[in-house]
Amino acid sequence: MNYERVFQEAIDRLHQEGRYRVFIDVLRNRGAFPNARCFAGHNGQRPIVMWCSNDYLGMGQHPKVIEAMEKALHDVGAGSGGTRNISGNTHYHLDLENELADLHGKEAALTFTSGYVSNEATLSTLAKILPGCVIFSDELNHASMIAGIRNSGAERHVFRHNDLVHLEELLAATPADKPKLIAFESVYSMDGDIAPIKEICDLADKYNAITYLDEVHAVGMYGNRGGGVADREGLMDRLTVIEGTLGKAFGVMGGYITASRTIVDVVRSYAPGFIFSTSLSPVLVAGALASVRHLKESQVERQMHQERAARLKQMLGEAGLPVMPSVSHIVPVKVGDPVRCKKISDILLVEYGIYVQPINYPTVPRGTERLRFTPSPNHSDEMMAALRDALLEIWDRLDLRLAA
């Protein structure tokens, strides 16, 4: 067998389908988010505006975060030194976990190297520990949740997205004595819709199930202290496990779970993805800690963020661009074709200095390919107008249909 040829054909298929992923070579400008520099063909000299960053609030540029990271770097050095079990457990980690547990009103928290790892490790571990566990998973759950559920080896049922009737049908058809776990997200990041958390918790109570809520696209941005949608709706105490990230609204890196001390201890003690991974650098943890503490107290970033998201939706919608319905901060614009979606992204970057990545299958279903815009508190009306005008010109150039 010609191994190299097989691998090349796999890559060629992605190109033919318009699904080949290109990683843009950029650097952000400290203190000037969302402004950045593009190196692709410009040797770092092309100024661009970032429109697809998951650093939703710009906290990766916040003076408190940078100061905390610089202080930690000079205090303890760069790396953590190992896994949490072998020299990689620091006072920074313990402080952050206490802060996160408090944020979500839980007894304990545990940090991981990423949100992907926290989902995969926790879901796979909990289901393995519970004998005969049956998992009920929303069909639009993130790949990391799907991986954790599959790796658990547990029986699993996928319910239609946010469909409470379908979820109850599946729960009712499962023997009452079987352990049950319902896994879902609060904000679904590709469509921007929000789960009916209260109603899912009601079903969990009715059928004696535990709940696992992924709040990665909501922590920092919703609730009085940034605890997410469950915080905003006063439901955190009804959820068994709340999972979040440090790499989006908190602006740094890492993932975490919060739950009872016993559940957290089980994951800490049994999850290979946690046990055998080098822990987060204290420098990163210090930055995340500063960000969490700031957003617990400050409402300014959240309020401005919601206003900016609403403003962008309004501007693009009034221009007739096909903005997909969204009740959150996510602003998706439907293209419906992977090749054109990539082409629009390329034109925006090369000709207009606007950076947004195309979202194609398998991240979203075929035929729903889109551009996903994530306005921050720092995106001005002028930036939004420039984006709108560029999109209108490209839509006309490519003979794309505007919304009715």
Side-chain angles (χ1 to χ4, degrees), residues 168-222:
E168 182 160 21
E169 288 174 357
L170 295 172
L171 287 165
T174 303
D177 60 347
K178 286 260 192 181
K180 304 171 188 67
L181 186 154
I182 305 172
F184 62 109
E185 301 181 36
S186 58
V187 175
Y188 288 86
S189 65
M190 292 300 117
D191 292 324
D193 57 342
I194 292 176
I197 300 175
K198 177 184 179 300
E199 290 77 7
I200 291 177
C201 288
D202 290 341
L203 289 176
D205 292 345
K206 182 176 179 179
Y207 292 95
N208 193 28
I210 61 174
T211 51
Y212 183 100
L213 178 63
D214 177 318
E215 287 259 41
V216 297
H217 291 279
V219 290
M221 295 178 290
Y222 297 90

Side-chain angles (χ1 to χ4, degrees), residues 242-259:
I242 298 176
E243 184 264 354
T245 182
L246 305 168
K248 292 183 171 58
F250 292 129
V252 189
M253 178 184 175
Y256 66 87
I257 60 166
T258 63

Side-chain angles (χ1 to χ4, degrees), residues 74-228:
H74 292 290
D75 183 26
V76 300
S80 68
T83 65
R84 292 286 289 275
N85 185 54
I86 302 176
S87 79
N89 191 59
T90 75
H91 191 65
Y92 286 103
H93 291 83
L94 299 179
D95 270 355
L96 177 58
E97 286 168 348
N98 287 333
E99 205 72 48
L100 292 168
D102 173 75
L103 175 65
H104 294 288
K106 299 298 184 186
E107 292 179 345
L110 192 67
T111 55
F112 298 79
T113 51
S114 73
Y116 189 104
V117 175
S118 59
N119 271 334
E120 192 284 326
T122 304
L123 284 166
S124 62
T125 299
L126 293 182
K128 285 177 181 176
I129 294 295
L130 291 168
C133 181
V134 180
I135 300 179
F136 303 85
S137 174
D138 188 287
E139 68 176 335
L140 295 189
N141 277 343
H142 190 264
S144 57
M145 300 175 75
I146 295 170
I149 292 166
R150 286 177 176 166
N151 292 342
S152 74
E155 179 183 344
R156 60 188 183 272
H157 298 283
V158 177
F159 60 93
R160 291 185 293 271
H161 179 52
N162 283 348
D163 191 328
L164 296 166
V165 173
H166 190 211
L167 174 57
E168 182 160 21
E169 288 174 357
L170 295 172
L171 287 165
T174 303
D177 60 347
K178 286 260 192 181
K180 304 171 188 67
L181 186 154
I182 305 172
F184 62 109
E185 301 181 36
S186 58
V187 175
Y188 288 86
S189 65
M190 292 300 117
D191 292 324
D193 57 342
I194 292 176
I197 300 175
K198 177 184 179 300
E199 290 77 7
I200 291 177
C201 288
D202 290 341
L203 289 176
D205 292 345
K206 182 176 179 179
Y207 292 95
N208 193 28
I210 61 174
T211 51
Y212 183 100
L213 178 63
D214 177 318
E215 287 259 41
V216 297
H217 291 279
V219 290
M221 295 178 290
Y222 297 90
N224 289 331
R225 300 197 306 156

Side-chain angles (χ1 to χ4, degrees), residues 219-240:
V219 290
M221 295 178 290
Y222 297 90
N224 289 331
R225 300 197 306 156
V229 177
D231 179 16
R232 182 187 71 183
E233 299 179 4
L235 296 169
M236 292 192 295
D237 62 315
R238 298 191 62 189
L239 294 149
T240 312

Side-chain angles (χ1 to χ4, degrees), residues 190-340:
M190 292 300 117
D191 292 324
D193 57 342
I194 292 176
I197 300 175
K198 177 184 179 300
E199 290 77 7
I200 291 177
C201 288
D202 290 341
L203 289 176
D205 292 345
K206 182 176 179 179
Y207 292 95
N208 193 28
I210 61 174
T211 51
Y212 183 100
L213 178 63
D214 177 318
E215 287 259 41
V216 297
H217 291 279
V219 290
M221 295 178 290
Y222 297 90
N224 289 331
R225 300 197 306 156
V229 177
D231 179 16
R232 182 187 71 183
E233 299 179 4
L235 296 169
M236 292 192 295
D237 62 315
R238 298 191 62 189
L239 294 149
T240 312
V241 179
I242 298 176
E243 184 264 354
T245 182
L246 305 168
K248 292 183 171 58
F250 292 129
V252 189
M253 178 184 175
Y256 66 87
I257 60 166
T258 63
S260 69
R261 285 191 181 86
T262 303
I263 288 177
V264 168
D265 203 16
V266 163
V267 176
R268 184 190 71 86
S269 302
Y270 282 91
F274 172 79
I275 296 170
F276 299 108
S277 290
T278 297
S279 66
L280 286 167
S281 161
V283 175
L284 296 172
V285 177
L289 179 60
S291 184
V292 171
R293 284 175 172 167
H294 174 78
L295 290 174
K296 277 183 175 181
E297 302 295 332
S298 175
Q299 300 294 331
V300 174
E301 291 82 3
R302 282 189 283 278
Q303 291 169 353
M304 180 63 76
H305 185 245
Q306 289 298 311
E307 187 277 329
R308 293 285 80 195
R311 178 65 174 145
L312 182 63
K313 291 176 190 177
Q314 178 189 19
M315 289 181 68
L316 299 185
E318 288 177 349
L321 290 159
V323 180
M324 301 171 71
S326 165
V327 296
S328 69
H329 57 281
I330 306 296
V331 185
V333 175
K334 185 176 179 180
V335 178
D337 175 80
V339 175
R340 282 180 166 178

